[in-house]
Amino acid sequence: MNAKVKTLDILPKGKKARVRKLHAKGKLLHKLLDMGFVNNVEIEVIREAPLFDPMELKLHNYHLSVRKSEARLIEIEEKMNEEN
Amino acid sequence: MKKIKVALAGQPNCGKSTIFNMVSGIEQHIANYPGVTVDKKTGFFTYNEHRIEMVDLPGTYSFSSYSLEERVAKEFIIDENPDVIVNVVDASNIKRNLYLTFQLLEIGIPVIVVLNMMDVAKRREIEIDSKKIAKMLNCPVIEATGSKGIGSEEIMQNIVNIASNNQQYEDFKINYEELEPHINAIEEKISSSTSPLNKRWLAIKLLEGDTSITEHLKHQFSNIEEDVKKEENIFHEKYDKDSPSFLASVRYESADIIYHKAVKEKKIGQETLTDKADKILLNRFLALPILILIMFLVYEISIVWGYKLTDYTWPILAAIKNFVIDILPPANLIDVPMITDFGIWMVNSANALMNYIPIFFILFALIAIMEDVGYMPRMAFILDRVFKRFGLHGQSTLPLVLGGAMVGGCAVPGVMATKGIADDRARMATIFSVPYMNCLAKVPFYTLLLGAFFKPDMALMMFFISTVTLFVALIVAKLLTTTVLKARETAPFLMELPPYHMPTFKGVIIRASQRVWIYIKKVVTIVLAVAIVLFAMLQLPGLNKEAEAKYEKSLDKALSSFDNKVKKSKYYEEVNTKEEVSELLNYYDGYRTKRMVATSKDSAKAIDEDYLALNESYFKFIKPKRDKEAKTVNKALRKLSTDRKRILRAIKNEKVENSLLGMAGRAIEPVTQYAGFDWKINVAFLSSFAARESAVATLGSIYENNKADDMRAEEAMALNSGYTPLHAAAIIIFMLLTPPCIATMIVVKMQTNSYKWMVFAIFFPVLLGIVLSSIVFSVGLINNWSGVEAMTYFYITIVSIALIIGLVPSKRINWKGGLQSKAQGQYNIYDKNLNKGE
């Protein structure tokens, strides 16, 4: 599997990735964990809001919206055509 | 009767409230949790010789201490120690919901898991083996569908069984693998704790860095923080992981294991109906037009239908008013008893507020529908980017719209709707900006002024008035969030977009009724108390001797003119004493007012019959038909009635002029003169504080000239006030920014939970209003601007400022969230002193 490290805010619509690391502290870290951004979880970008921010994600089989400023703190590893 | 206390817990959008309504029925109480503005719903029901009290905890994703709701929920568990926790789980979203379930199971209080919305799960072909889940979790698992009333019997049965120890309850433990030795070590340290709570749970919470639990244990174990730190550091050295992340990971993994063993999804990866709907509703180009359309519909339905409903409710209110007038002592010519004035004043004040109830009911019902359907978070998703720039939040959309984004809304439901905003700073900012939106009751006031001073430019002025408010609200929000609200807690924008649901009729009606009831209970009662004070301020000290003599004289003139006209009539005998004339006059005026509100032929007939029965000989003067002699009396009577009304109005004006409020209006003239306000306008503004409607009434009566012609208030004002359109523009600008009415102040107090903020919400807009209208008026005076010019420059300035703020990116203040030193005191709800406060 070929992967490159980047952050969630630049992941394009329809792409999937796995969470690698959270660069957050305190309350924000806890909130992200509670919403399911735990290590290795798969995230799919569903869409951006009409004004490009926030973005809608799918993880643990539910939908969540996140501002890009927060998404920037989530380090991901993009899945490269795992299905094929 | 045994008593059982139940806590109802669950994540947001799991349908907790439908379960709550299904089990507890109609016997519900709404209050606030002590010291905070979170709703506490309590339901009572009886089952099988047990009296069960069920408290609905706020919906939370987790059970840590990182949001107000979570702190409140945990506070309840720690303090109240319920017998059973009922955990509602969304059957079609088991994996994420179990994350909370594990945390509840660890507390050590018996838990009953309710798999809600089984019908949705079935429709999506999700097969759930609930027996298997029960076995793995060691607790009862009940399948239910709250919206259809399925499962309530079983829930009650299990509550009673567990509470009366018929069922063996076993401890539940997740194995936290590498962290276990550290949990045990901390458990060891606090083994002598006097706390009744489960030690293992306390240990886990300490490792999570839970502030409230740390506080809870600190007084017994003074160096517990260092001990926990030590364990965490060892763990971190060994595995390069921090304990909160590790705990969360293990919980999600455990949830995953249960999900894979007990749940089979056949349609996984297929498009649901929600996905299809969102493709349209959240489409880049369609989202905004659809949102505007929905808002427009909400508006249209509540205001238009609401008004239609008021056609049915207003006669009831009018009947109440007439009934009150009938039982109060009647006026004797121009001598109106104080009690009668007071009674009418109170009924008018109450009616002005009660008249909004149908509109509010429809509004609250529509909001409840939007909440249940799941459109609310999507609305926030669409507009968050715009509002974020002004320190607000996507969720500020609805409150601002309700406050009056178009022609006119109402700040009361607007401020009430701020409850759900997750980010505390944005929530406070929204509360303070909503009152700037277009209040429905200000519309007549604007119409009066525009009709008097801006006849040719009415449309343009109305456009300015109705669109400038949103920009003002946004600027104020930005101003407050960067100054006084700087230190308030913020929250990251992580919002679930739940699947769409059909709302239940029962749920919507219950919620709408509860909110209307809160309005009646809190707002109407206090406004009436204030109305009493205002009445006194408008009446006292009353007329002096000279004035009284003056009015007696004009009355005598009117009476003798009447007497001259009817002298020759054959009915003169019936109307030749003062008492008779007074009685006839009251009879005539009473009949006229009743006929004014009669809407149908039948009701008009009924009034005729009533009055005929009341006094047959007087009736002919009211409806003389072909009786020439009676016609003469009728004509004279009409004249006398107009004369009396004129004198009464003059008396009222003189009373107002000399009243305490009039003095106050004069006292602030030195300040308000820079905005071009004289004492009359000041009095109108002061009296409009109780209810907006009275501003127009006050102005109308002040400017009516004392010639008995039926000149309209606009014309009278334009003629008699001596104002220029520039004055009017300044008045309008002040009215745009003027403080919210008392009803709004009370809901501000409810939502901010502090009188300090309520006072701020009163004086800040007044200050802003007087400063801005003074600037516009003074600068306009120097440059010889017309009213329209002044308004145009004001409008351009406000819109430009708003656009500059919106387009220039700003630093995020206090964005990392967390508790700032200043906000600590406001938020520590464990501080028992706060609970005794307000």
Side-chain angles (χ1 to χ4, degrees):
Chain A
M1 193 177 113
N2 171 8
K4 51 180 190 274
V5 170
K6 48 176 158 180
T7 52
L8 180 59
D9 58 310
I10 51 169
L11 193 66
K13 180 179 162 176
K15 282 274 191 282
K16 291 180 183 174
R18 288 191 178 282
V19 172
R20 275 286 155 257
K21 200 167 180 184
L22 303 180
H23 296 271
K25 278 201 175 60
K27 190 169 140 180
L28 182 57
L29 173 70
H30 272 264
K31 184 76 188 165
L32 288 169
L33 291 170
D34 288 341
M35 297 314 279
F37 290 92
V38 289
N39 209 355
N40 237 343
V41 73
E42 184 184 280
I43 297 180
E44 182 186 348
V45 178
I46 301 293
R47 65 169 61 84
E48 282 177 329
L51 301 169
F52 306 100
D53 188 24
M55 58 206 294
E56 184 184 348
L57 314 168
K58 187 175 178 180
L59 70 159
H60 295 292
N61 213 3
Y62 84 100
H63 292 242
L64 177 80
S65 73
V66 181
R67 282 182 185 156
K68 290 196 168 170
S69 50
E70 272 101 32
R72 200 162 299 137
L73 306 172
I74 300 165
E75 198 180 296
I76 52 166
E77 187 178 285
E78 203 175 336
K79 294 177 68 172
M80 302 298 264
N81 311 328
E82 227 172 75
E83 288 78 10
N84 311 338
Chain B
M1 273 298 220
K2 254 191 77 174
K3 282 198 172 129
I4 303 176
K5 194 182 285 178
V6 180
L8 188 69
Q11 292 192 336
N13 312 312
C14 66
K16 202 154 54 75
S17 58
T18 56
I19 294 285
F20 182 81
N21 288 339
M22 170 176 88
V23 177
S24 60
I26 300 294
E27 204 187 334
Q28 297 182 10
H29 294 287
I30 288 197
N32 276 0
Y33 285 95
V36 290
T37 53
V38 180
D39 266 348
K40 179 182 184 178
K41 276 201 298 195
T42 313
F44 296 91
F45 56 97
T46 310
Y47 181 80
N48 209 349
E49 298 296 299
H50 289 77
R51 174 83 173 154
I52 300 164
E53 175 192 351
M54 186 183 261
V55 177
D56 187 11
L57 299 180
T60 57
Y61 289 103
S62 171
F63 221 62
S64 50
S65 278
Y66 281 88
S67 77
L68 180 62
E69 283 78 12
E70 290 175 42
R71 287 195 289 262
V72 165
K74 195 153 49 215
E75 167 92 341
F76 180 83
I77 300 282
I78 293 173
D79 285 356
E80 307 265 332
N81 205 4
D83 303 301
V84 182
I85 297 174
V86 172
N87 171 216
V88 182
V89 166
D90 174 0
S92 52
N93 199 351
I94 285 185
K95 210 196 308 186
R96 204 201 58 214
N97 277 247
L98 281 174
Y99 181 79
L100 176 70
T101 308
F102 291 141
Q103 297 183 62
L104 296 172
L105 284 162
E106 280 170 348
I107 296 171
I109 292 169
V111 173
I112 298 168
V113 173
V114 176
L115 290 177
N116 191 21
M117 302 200 265
M118 285 300 285
D119 58 335
V120 179
K122 277 202 180 67
R123 201 177 61 225
R124 294 201 192 165
E125 294 183 34
I126 302 171
E127 282 177 21
I128 303 168
D129 187 342
S130 58
K131 288 200 181 58
K132 213 175 205 167
I133 298 177
K135 221 158 113 188
M136 292 169 103
L137 296 179
N138 253 339
C139 74
V141 175
I142 299 161
E143 298 185 9
T145 303
S147 56
K148 298 198 174 85
I150 300 166
S152 87
E153 181 77 13
E154 213 181 327
I155 294 170
M156 295 191 209
Q157 220 170 338
N158 272 287
I159 290 173
V160 170
N161 278 350
I162 283 196
S164 44
N165 295 331
N166 295 352
Q167 278 176 15
Q168 204 44 50
Y169 165 75
E170 296 171 49
D171 259 352
F172 170 87
K173 278 188 185 175
I174 286 191
N175 184 354
Y176 288 110
E177 319 271 344
E178 295 94 330
L179 199 61
E180 282 297 329
H182 307 284
I183 296 174
N184 293 333
I186 292 174
E187 214 180 327
E188 200 70 27
K189 287 227 164 56
I190 57 171
S191 58
S192 61
S193 161
T194 48
S195 169
L197 298 160
N198 181 307
K199 308 279 184 295
R200 180 182 162 85
W201 180 59
L202 293 174
I204 292 169
K205 285 283 147 198
L206 286 168
L207 279 166
E208 251 178 41
D210 190 308
T211 42
S212 56
I213 298 293
T214 314
E215 289 303 312
H216 185 67
L217 292 169
K218 229 173 164 168
H219 56 87
Q220 205 185 334
F221 308 98
S222 49
N223 46 6
I224 192 72
E225 272 179 287
E226 289 84 63
D227 292 340
V228 174
K229 232 321 57 22
K230 238 183 263 159
E231 295 293 337
E232 270 190 35
N233 287 341
I234 300 168
F235 178 72
H236 196 92
E237 298 269 297
K238 253 211 263 201
Y239 303 103
D240 190 30
K241 284 176 187 157
D242 60 300
S243 51
S245 309
F246 182 78
L247 283 162
S249 288
V250 174
R251 282 172 189 150
Y252 266 107
E253 277 160 29
S254 312
D256 213 37
I257 291 166
I258 291 183
Y259 172 80
H260 278 294
K261 283 194 171 161
V263 183
K264 283 198 185 67
E265 287 202 48
K266 289 187 175 161
K267 281 185 167 177
I268 206 154
Q270 280 186 36
E271 256 200 356
T272 59
L273 281 174
T274 298
D275 295 336
K276 284 178 187 147
D278 272 345
K279 274 209 166 124
I280 299 164
L281 291 170
L282 298 182
N283 172 291
R284 175 146 293 159
F285 305 102
L286 296 177
L288 213 52
I290 292 174
L291 186 140
I292 291 169
L293 181 75
I294 290 176
M295 286 294 108
F296 179 75
L297 281 176
V298 165
Y299 227 77
E300 193 65 14
I301 292 172
S302 58
I303 305 288
V304 175
W305 287 17
Y307 263 127
K308 282 226 171 70
L309 267 183
T310 53
D311 286 346
Y312 297 99
T313 52
W314 182 248
I316 300 171
L317 296 176
I320 294 172
K321 182 179 167 177
N322 282 334
F323 170 76
V324 171
I325 292 173
D326 284 344
I327 57 168
L328 289 168
N332 183 5
L333 295 170
I334 59 159
D335 179 21
V336 184
M338 180 77 104
I339 181 78
T340 306
D341 259 345
F342 177 70
I344 293 170
W345 167 267
M346 289 309 279
V347 172
N348 279 341
S349 308
N351 280 3
L353 290 166
M354 298 303 256
N355 193 31
Y356 286 108
I357 284 178
I359 295 176
F360 283 175
F361 186 83
I362 293 178
L363 255 184
F364 290 145
L366 289 171
I367 296 171
I369 289 171
M370 283 199 293
E371 281 170 348
D372 288 355
V373 165
Y375 188 66
M376 293 287 209
R378 284 162 173 94
M379 211 154 67
F381 178 71
I382 294 165
L383 285 176
D384 180 65
R385 185 168 188 175
V386 177
F387 286 119
K388 193 176 70 177
R389 284 283 163 96
F390 296 94
L392 296 169
H393 190 284
Q395 287 168 307
S396 309
T397 315
L398 185 79
L400 289 171
V401 169
L402 294 178
M406 298 166 230
V407 190
C410 180
V412 172
V415 174
M416 275 171 132
T418 57
K419 204 165 204 126
I421 299 175
D423 180 312
D424 190 62
R425 185 174 55 198
R427 186 178 66 88
M428 294 292 281
T430 313
I431 290 171
F432 297 126
S433 13
V434 166
Y436 292 95
M437 304 306 278
N438 288 310
C439 155
L440 199 58
K442 285 184 192 174
V443 175
F445 184 86
Y446 296 138
T447 328
L448 173 75
L449 281 165
L450 295 185
F453 299 100
F454 297 101
K455 263 256 162 58
D457 304 299
M458 238 167 147
L460 179 71
M461 288 296 286
M462 208 63 213
F463 168 78
F464 284 159
I465 290 171
S466 54
T467 53
V468 78
T469 46
L470 177 65
F471 296 104
V472 172
L474 290 176
I475 295 169
V476 167
K478 184 71 189 175
L479 188 71
L480 295 180
T481 46
T482 46
T483 53
V484 285
L485 296 173
K486 207 168 162 171
R488 297 294 286 207
E489 216 175 340
T490 60
F493 185 90
L494 288 159
M495 209 174 39
E496 187 186 353
L497 300 179
Y500 291 110
H501 281 295
M502 275 307 280
T504 64
F505 181 75
K506 183 177 162 187
V508 169
I509 295 297
I510 285 181
R511 204 134 20 115
S513 320
Q514 276 169 343
R515 285 175 184 163
V516 167
W517 179 239
I518 286 175
Y519 171 78
I520 295 174
K521 207 167 60 177
K522 297 241 170 171
V523 176
V524 177
T525 46
I526 297 178
V527 170
L528 290 185
V530 174
I532 295 173
V533 175
L534 254 169
F535 177 79
M537 289 185 71
L538 279 166
Q539 290 286 331
L540 302 174
L543 294 181
N544 57 21
K545 283 273 176 294
E546 273 162 61
E548 266 178 28
K550 183 175 77 187
Y551 290 119
E552 277 300 329
K553 234 163 101 186
S554 35
L555 172 72
D556 284 341
K557 231 168 84 186
L559 279 176
S560 56
S561 120
F562 173 81
D563 203 54
N564 282 334
K565 280 179 195 149
V566 296
K567 252 199 178 100
K568 295 191 183 69
S569 151
K570 65 173 180 187
Y571 298 119
Y572 184 55
E573 281 301 304
E574 290 176 37
V575 290
N576 61 357
T577 68
K578 253 194 184 177
E579 288 73 37
E580 281 166 343
V581 176
S582 167
E583 203 180 320
L584 176 60
L585 206 48
N586 287 337
Y587 181 85
Y588 173 80
D589 283 344
Y591 174 81
R592 299 295 318 157
T593 32
K594 285 212 174 62
R595 269 306 290 268
M596 290 254 265
V597 293
T599 42
S600 65
K601 263 211 162 90
D602 289 336
S603 56
K605 220 182 184 137
I607 293 167
D608 282 1
E609 277 161 14
D610 282 350
Y611 270 76
L612 196 62
L614 202 66
N615 190 330
E616 209 174 328
S617 63
Y618 278 174
F619 194 74
K620 60 178 173 289
F621 300 133
I622 293 173
K623 281 196 141 179
K625 287 178 187 145
R626 297 229 175 107
D627 184 341
K628 251 209 170 105
E629 299 280 330
K631 249 189 192 150
T632 325
V633 180
N634 173 270
K635 228 168 132 180
L637 187 60
R638 242 186 303 171
K639 173 83 175 69
L640 181 62
S641 171
T642 342
D643 284 347
R644 173 168 81 148
K645 279 198 181 119
R646 179 176 47 87
I647 297 167
L648 282 175
R649 256 201 312 268
I651 290 176
K652 191 176 145 193
N653 282 346
E654 190 150 342
K655 264 190 185 165
V656 169
E657 208 164 325
N658 299 326
S659 71
L660 296 171
L661 210 60
M663 290 176 205
R666 268 202 209 76
I668 53 177
E669 251 185 354
V671 181
T672 58
Q673 64 178 358
Y674 298 105
F677 303 162
D678 59 6
W679 70 270
K680 289 178 179 178
I681 285 287
N682 292 345
V683 169
F685 281 137
L686 289 170
S687 67
S688 79
F689 188 57
R692 285 267 169 267
E693 291 79 358
S694 53
V696 177
T698 315
L699 276 181
S701 70
I702 287 178
Y703 292 119
E704 262 165 343
N705 55 353
N706 295 343
K707 283 196 211 68
D709 46 19
D710 42 10
M711 195 194 265
R712 293 177 46 171
E714 290 95 308
E715 295 162 9
M717 190 167 175
L719 264 175
N720 309 329
S721 63
Y723 298 151
T724 62
L726 183 62
H727 282 89
I731 293 170
I732 287 173
I733 288 169
F734 184 78
M735 194 61 166
L736 282 169
L737 306 163
T738 204
C741 61
I742 291 176
T744 307
M745 296 300 34
I746 295 153
V747 284
V748 167
K749 156 75 187 63
M750 273 160 56
Q751 300 299 349
T752 56
N753 211 4
S754 100
Y755 285 103
K756 216 169 62 187
W757 283 118
M758 181 180 92
V759 171
F760 172 80
I762 295 172
F763 288 104
F764 179 71
V766 175
L767 188 74
L768 194 70
I770 197 73
V771 168
L772 286 183
S773 48
S774 298
I775 292 172
V776 171
F777 183 75
S778 308
V779 175
L781 215 52
I782 294 164
N783 296 318
N784 247 332
W785 287 344
S786 70
V788 179
E789 275 175 332
M791 195 71 197
T792 311
Y793 296 136
F794 172 75
Y795 185 82
I796 291 170
T797 313
I798 293 288
V799 173
S800 310
I801 294 173
L803 288 178
I804 290 166
I805 293 173
L807 296 173
V808 174
S810 57
K811 265 204 345 262
R812 283 190 299 262
I813 304 165
N814 187 13
W815 167 72
K816 278 273 191 283
L819 299 171
Q820 297 273 318
S821 54
K822 221 172 153 180
Q824 188 103 44
Q826 289 163 319
Y827 268 93
N828 198 342
I829 52 171
Y830 298 93
D831 185 353
K832 288 287 175 286
N833 296 337
L834 268 179
N835 299 350
K836 293 190 192 84
E838 301 156 5

